Amino acid sequence: MDYDYNDKLAFHAEWFDYDSSHNKKFILNYYPSDKTLELFDKLLNRMYLKRTKIEGLELKDVFVGNTVRIYGRQVRITDYADCRTQRIIGKTKEHTFAIIKPILIPKLGEIITEIQKRGFQICHMKMCNLTRKEVLDLHEPFKDDPFLPSILEHLISGSIVAVELVGENAVERWLEVLGPDDPLEARKIAPNSLRALYGGDSKLLNGFHGSANVQHAMRESHFFFPKNKSNPVPENAVMLQNSTCCVIKPHAILEDKLGHIISAINDSHYRITGLQMFYLSDTNADEFLEVYKGVVSDYHALLLSFVDGPCLALEISGENPDIDVQKKFRIFCGPSDSNIARQIKPCTLRARFGCDKYKNAVHCTDLPEDTVLELEYFFKILKD
């Protein structure tokens, strides 16, 4: 669309103020013509932030469910504030839901790369081990399906990854990208579909679930990523045994390196046994990085590298239970400065995917005694 200076897109938004322990609610108006925004405080009924340009904030970032950083505040966009905005943005930033099934967890990196190549944004992602009850609750609309017992047994056989996707006409297009339910049929009539490329030799082992319509997508997404934080959710798959913590930083995700990093980890004989996407506030990042205060020369730059978008926390385990995972994985990540890593350790993660000393693609646990603390911070304290 062509927008004039006064055209605006209006959203409901909120920001949790840690100082007052209060969830502040706003109307966020975004002006596409000059990429400016303003915030109106709904409780106080006054302007909170006058129309201004936020560096790095684009129209593609302004959609329901996303979290945007505005002068150090992580503001979450929760809903449309008028019908016009919903009409304009609704289809271009439609949400759908997907499950990557146990059979494909070893190829998770490749699949994430394929998802992004096909024009979808990942706004939420979590690895879970589902119980029988959770599978039945999730499939309640299909409780009479004779195939459900087989689906149940497969979904509880290992970890799954739940993913909320955003894109143009996302529900319909994701089903097209997946292809027919039966991978054998998919290979005949849709050879470039994901089930044709990655599915097994039966409908049960087709590798993916995709929501059938917008209503199902909303229900299934809220099952794993509820708006009401008091609602019960499936537990993450983290084990906390002979493992270490890795955080893929926001810049790497925004540069579409996420799938490539995960593939590099899996290809190097590590297993990802826990995974969840987070949008860290300054307070969260400061708590997580507390041990680096007074140690890192530019602590503020380090902190900013964790908060300028979504990050992905991973629990990393070894294929061989006898190896020292924390020590080996730290070596695999390489020197903290990516420029130095490229000179002396060119095959490491930071050399291959990092930019500089702070935008260095990944954080990894530095000291063995910090491993459980870091994993618990993400997967126990921040998990909801």
Side-chain angles (χ1 to χ4, degrees):
M1 288 183 61
D2 291 326
Y3 297 95
D4 65 30
Y5 182 76
N6 292 314
D7 277 337
K8 66 184 180 183
L9 301 171
F11 301 87
H12 293 291
E14 60 186 31
W15 163 61
F16 186 78
D17 184 351
Y18 283 87
D19 291 333
S20 64
S21 297
H22 179 65
N23 208 30
K24 295 190 174 182
K25 298 185 181 296
F26 303 100
I27 297 294
L28 185 155
N29 293 321
Y30 183 80
Y31 295 85
S33 65
D34 59 358
K35 303 177 184 178
T36 58
L37 65 75
E38 61 189 12
L39 292 174
F40 183 83
D41 191 315
K42 293 164 66 175
L43 179 63
L44 299 179
N45 196 32
R46 64 177 177 82
M47 193 63 68
Y48 183 83
L49 176 67
K50 292 183 178 180
R51 184 172 178 176
T52 187
K53 187 176 178 67
I54 304 298
E55 189 67 31
L57 187 65
E58 304 283 342
L59 178 58
K60 66 180 178 63
D61 304 314
V62 185
F63 59 88
V64 173
N66 199 23
T67 299
V68 295
R69 186 171 173 80
I70 302 173
Y71 291 123
R73 295 164 173 81
Q74 299 286 56
V75 178
R76 188 165 68 93
I77 302 173
T78 58
D79 204 350
Y80 302 104
D82 59 40
C83 294
R84 177 176 179 271
T85 302
Q86 184 170 12
R87 188 175 66 252
I88 294 171
I89 301 297
K91 275 296 181 184
T92 60
K93 292 295 183 181
E94 187 175 74
H95 291 241
T96 193
F97 176 78
I99 289 177
I100 301 170
K101 297 180 182 180
I103 189 176
L104 291 184
I105 297 303
K107 296 184 177 180
L108 181 61
E110 287 181 51
I111 290 164
I112 289 173
T113 299
E114 282 288 337
I115 288 171
Q116 293 178 325
K117 278 170 58 178
R118 297 182 193 224
F120 295 95
Q121 290 175 256
I122 297 172
C123 63
H124 292 102
M125 182 159 53
K126 180 180 181 180
M127 181 179 283
C128 305
N129 290 329
L130 296 176
T131 65
R132 291 176 181 274
K133 183 180 184 306
E134 286 168 342
V135 174
L136 291 173
D137 289 345
L138 179 64
H139 289 81
E140 197 276 334
F142 310 102
K143 60 185 177 182
D144 297 325
D145 187 340
F147 202 56
L148 181 56
S150 298
I151 295 173
L152 186 152
E153 293 302 323
H154 180 55
L155 290 181
I156 66 171
S157 68
S159 299
I160 62 100
V161 174
V163 188
E164 186 174 340
L165 301 173
V166 178
E168 186 170 357
N169 200 20
V171 173
E172 181 180 341
R173 200 159 57 82
W174 176 241
L175 293 176
E176 291 176 0
V177 165
L178 289 182
D181 287 345
D182 189 334
L184 298 179
E185 182 186 357
R187 291 180 189 118
K188 294 177 183 177
I189 66 174
N192 291 321
S193 66
L194 293 185
R195 285 179 177 138
L197 295 172
Y198 295 103
D201 55 5
S202 69
K203 183 178 177 181
L204 177 63
L205 301 177
N206 64 12
F208 301 90
H209 164 79
S211 297
N213 54 49
V214 172
Q215 291 73 31
H216 283 188
M218 186 178 300
R219 178 186 178 277
E220 292 164 357
S221 180
H222 288 175
F223 188 86
F224 291 91
F225 314 111
K227 290 184 178 179
N228 185 345
K229 298 301 183 183
S230 64
N231 289 352
V233 295
E235 284 294 318
N236 54 57
V238 67
M239 300 191 308
L240 300 177
Q241 293 180 349
N242 191 25
S243 56
T244 192
C245 181
C246 172
V247 181
I248 301 178
K249 293 188 174 182
H251 81 89
I253 295 175
L254 298 174
E255 293 164 10
D256 289 341
K257 297 176 181 177
L258 176 59
H260 300 292
I261 294 173
I262 290 176
S263 291
I265 292 171
N266 284 332
D267 291 345
S268 298
H269 308 295
Y270 296 100
R271 293 184 300 124
I272 294 171
T273 48
L275 171 159
Q276 190 166 346
M277 184 170 280
F278 295 92
Y279 294 80
L280 296 182
S281 66
D282 283 22
T283 302
N284 296 149
D286 191 48
E287 289 175 345
F288 179 70
L289 298 169
E290 186 173 5
V291 295
Y292 295 95
K293 290 180 180 177
V295 177
V296 175
S297 57
D298 191 347
Y299 176 77
H300 184 65
L302 175 64
L303 185 144
L304 287 179
S305 73
F306 281 81
V307 298
D308 55 0
C311 66
L312 191 72
L314 307 172
E315 181 188 47
I316 306 295
S317 301
E319 288 187 351
N320 182 345
D322 298 326
I323 70 169
D324 184 339
V325 177
Q326 186 273 329
K327 179 180 178 181
K328 292 284 188 182
F329 190 77
R330 185 170 178 268
I331 294 170
F332 176 61
C333 288
S336 59
D337 189 327
S338 294
N339 293 317
I340 294 174
R342 278 187 279 274
Q343 295 177 34
I344 63 174
K345 296 286 184 180
C347 294
T348 58
L349 288 181
R350 288 167 174 158
R352 294 169 61 188
F353 302 107
C355 301
D356 54 36
K357 185 175 181 179
Y358 299 109
K359 290 188 174 183
N360 57 358
V362 295
H363 162 86
C364 64
T365 305
D366 285 320
L367 300 174
E369 56 268 30
D370 291 336
T371 296
V372 172
L373 293 174
E374 292 192 354
L375 288 170
E376 286 187 339
Y377 186 76
F378 280 105
F379 294 105
K380 301 296 182 184
I381 296 173
L382 296 184
K383 63 174 183 174
D384 297 331

